[in-house]
Amino acid sequence: VAVTHIFKFLLDSPALTHARITHMHFPGKVPNSHLQVNLQAAAYQALGIFKRVPIPSYLLQPSDVKAALSQPWPDIRIVHDEHGASTITLMEGHEAAPQSMPPTWLETHSGSAAPIPFLDTLVFGIFFVLVKCLFAIGRIDVVNFLVSVFGPLKKFIAIPLSKSIVANEAAYFWCIAAACQYAVRFHELPEPDREELFSNYIYCFGDSHILSVAWQPFVIKGKKYLSIPLVATGLKIWHLRKESTFYPRVTLSRMAAEIPKGSKVLICIGELDIRESLLRVVDGAKYKSIKEAIAAIIVQYDEATKSMAGNMDHMYVMYPPPILPETRSLTNMFWKALDAMFAAPSFPTNVTAIPTAFALTADGYRLKDEYVLDGTHLAPSCVKEFGPYM
């Protein structure tokens, strides 16, 4: 709610919207004046959504989930006249008033892309967080709308957002934008299927790789379940230590406490440990070898998994996906350590491993095309491979 209020405030600032946002991004042949109108409408609509669906905790009520995912995804119509004014049909059928804007940014900069001003970068960051919040509560219809607004901007930005101060927020946005291509149009499903999905949930929590399985239908022993995402941004297995007070650990603990006892859950953590931490801690002489560092992490994962599984009907542990070629050898070492963890006689019987080696080609060197999403996450089509383990 705070994010949407800040975003609305920024968009309501005439100096900001006219001098910056509206003059930056679209080519002259497609007047860019609709960008401001669309973003303002999105901010107002998001405010309305959060007011109608108060969220006192991390978990949505079943009625809220059903209401959110049952929204249709109408087409967006943007009409431009010869003067550059735009008329937009918004999500709920309201039309924004035509607005005439000064010359486009590209017209005044010889049609070339250029660095993003610092203030605009902050606005983009808030916009990305807004999209992330909306995706988290199931408003895929609105997310698709916002993606259609912002999507064309990527090729007109000279300095990649991945190298800016909002790199993480941008990464989430592009991942969500890509994942929406696989989203299920729940409002088009037969009523019996919808009712079954909206009555049975599997709670999926972990790092950003949970986005790959968010809002997807799972089939567990012949019964359909809807996956509810609970993302703890930046979470590593190392954060699961009992003494840790780092915010991803606190977020995960609060999420886990709110999941109803006796639920089915899926957890995916560890890719950040592999990508960011293993080599660093060995180089820093905290551990003598990669093998020793992995063993220390597995101890934490083993303890945390056993603790969380005690309150659940069943827990599925999705192995860190083998996305990046640069860390593939480390990922293989980590998988072997997880295999040993699951093979231990003392490991809980209500915990099942879901290996992710299926995503690689037979030679183990390349990600299969059907699982490529944004370069750092698996495509949601990976869910179909979970069947044998469920």
Side-chain angles (χ1 to χ4, degrees), residues 85-101:
S86 305
T87 302
I88 305 147
T89 299
L90 301 176
M91 302 299 293
E92 297 178 358
H94 302 296
E95 291 193 350
Q99 296 193 13
S100 296
M101 298 291 175

Side-chain angles (χ1 to χ4, degrees), residues 232-311:
T233 302
L235 183 66
K236 298 179 182 179
I237 294 174
W238 187 246
H239 299 151
L240 301 181
R241 305 184 325 279
K242 292 180 180 178
E243 65 272 21
S244 174
T245 57
F246 194 41
Y247 73 91
R249 161 60 193 248
V250 175
T251 301
L252 179 69
S253 298
R254 290 175 177 170
M255 287 177 176
E258 292 185 9
I259 295 175
K261 291 185 178 181
S263 296
K264 296 186 186 298
V265 299
L266 180 145
I267 186 169
C268 183
I269 320 176
E271 195 274 333
L272 281 174
D273 296 87
I274 296 170
R275 172 159 49 95
E276 293 186 357
S277 301
L278 288 178
L279 293 177
R280 185 183 304 168
V281 296
V282 174
D283 286 344
K286 293 184 178 180
Y287 296 96
K288 295 179 181 178
S289 65
I290 295 293
K291 185 175 181 180
E292 184 180 323
I294 290 177
I297 294 173
I298 291 295
V299 168
Q300 304 302 327
Y301 207 10
D302 180 76
E303 292 179 0
T305 302
K306 290 177 179 177
S307 175
M308 289 185 283
N311 295 322

Side-chain angles (χ1 to χ4, degrees), residues 24 105 113-118 121 124 153-166 170:
M24 286 183 57
W105 179 90
I116 311 168
F118 179 74
T121 304
F124 289 155
L153 305 185
K154 191 173 184 180
K155 60 184 177 182
F156 297 116
I157 298 174
I159 295 181
L161 289 167
S162 59
K163 297 181 180 179
S164 72
I165 60 170
V166 297

Side-chain angles (χ1 to χ4, degrees), residues 10-23 36 40:
L10 290 172
L11 289 170
D12 281 345
S13 168
L16 179 62
T17 55
H18 287 265
R20 296 187 182 277
I21 297 181
T22 57
H23 299 164
Q36 177 199 359
Q40 284 179 326

Side-chain angles (χ1 to χ4, degrees), residues 2-238:
V3 167
T4 54
H5 275 287
I6 294 170
F7 192 61
K8 173 182 172 294
F9 171 78
L10 290 172
L11 289 170
D12 281 345
S13 168
L16 179 62
T17 55
H18 287 265
R20 296 187 182 277
I21 297 181
T22 57
H23 299 164
M24 286 183 57
H25 305 111
F26 286 89
K29 62 182 180 180
V30 181
N32 70 3
S33 57
H34 70 275
L35 177 61
Q36 177 199 359
V37 183
N38 277 9
L39 294 183
Q40 284 179 326
Y44 278 109
Q45 189 175 39
L47 280 171
I49 290 170
F50 284 117
K51 286 178 179 177
R52 291 196 300 271
V53 186
I55 307 175
S57 66
Y58 285 98
L59 297 185
L60 292 172
Q61 297 302 311
S63 59
D64 296 331
V65 172
K66 182 175 181 180
L69 294 178
S70 296
Q71 299 296 319
W73 305 347
D75 294 330
I76 307 302
R77 292 190 295 110
I78 302 174
V79 180
H80 309 285
D81 64 22
E82 65 272 20
H83 302 295
S86 305
T87 302
I88 305 147
T89 299
L90 301 176
M91 302 299 293
E92 297 178 358
H94 302 296
E95 291 193 350
Q99 296 193 13
S100 296
M101 298 291 175
T104 65
W105 179 90
L106 285 174
E107 289 172 343
T108 59
H109 287 77
S110 304
S112 61
I116 311 168
F118 179 74
L119 188 57
D120 288 327
T121 304
L122 296 180
V123 173
F124 289 155
I126 295 173
F127 172 78
F128 296 148
V129 175
L130 173 62
V131 169
K132 182 179 176 184
C133 291
L134 289 167
F135 186 78
I137 65 169
R139 287 310 300 262
I140 303 173
D141 56 323
V142 184
V143 169
N144 270 278
F145 170 54
L146 298 180
V147 167
S148 72
V149 172
F150 194 86
L153 305 185
K154 191 173 184 180
K155 60 184 177 182
F156 297 116
I157 298 174
I159 295 181
L161 289 167
S162 59
K163 297 181 180 179
S164 72
I165 60 170
V166 297
N168 288 340
E169 289 75 16
Y172 264 92
F173 173 81
W174 294 117
C175 178
I176 290 171
C180 281
Q181 300 176 46
Y182 297 82
V184 177
R185 291 178 175 263
F186 293 94
H187 62 281
E188 296 179 357
L189 294 178
E191 187 62 26
D193 291 343
R194 289 177 58 199
E195 288 302 316
E196 184 175 10
L197 281 171
F198 293 143
S199 300
N200 305 301
Y201 301 118
I202 175 169
Y203 297 95
C204 302
F205 59 99
D207 57 25
S208 64
H209 291 282
I210 290 302
L211 297 176
S212 297
V213 301
W215 306 118
Q216 293 291 317
F218 281 57
V219 179
I220 303 176
K221 296 181 179 179
K223 193 174 183 179
K224 294 179 180 178
Y225 289 78
L226 176 64
S227 61
I228 306 293
L230 296 169
V231 181
T233 302
L235 183 66
K236 298 179 182 179
I237 294 174
W238 187 246

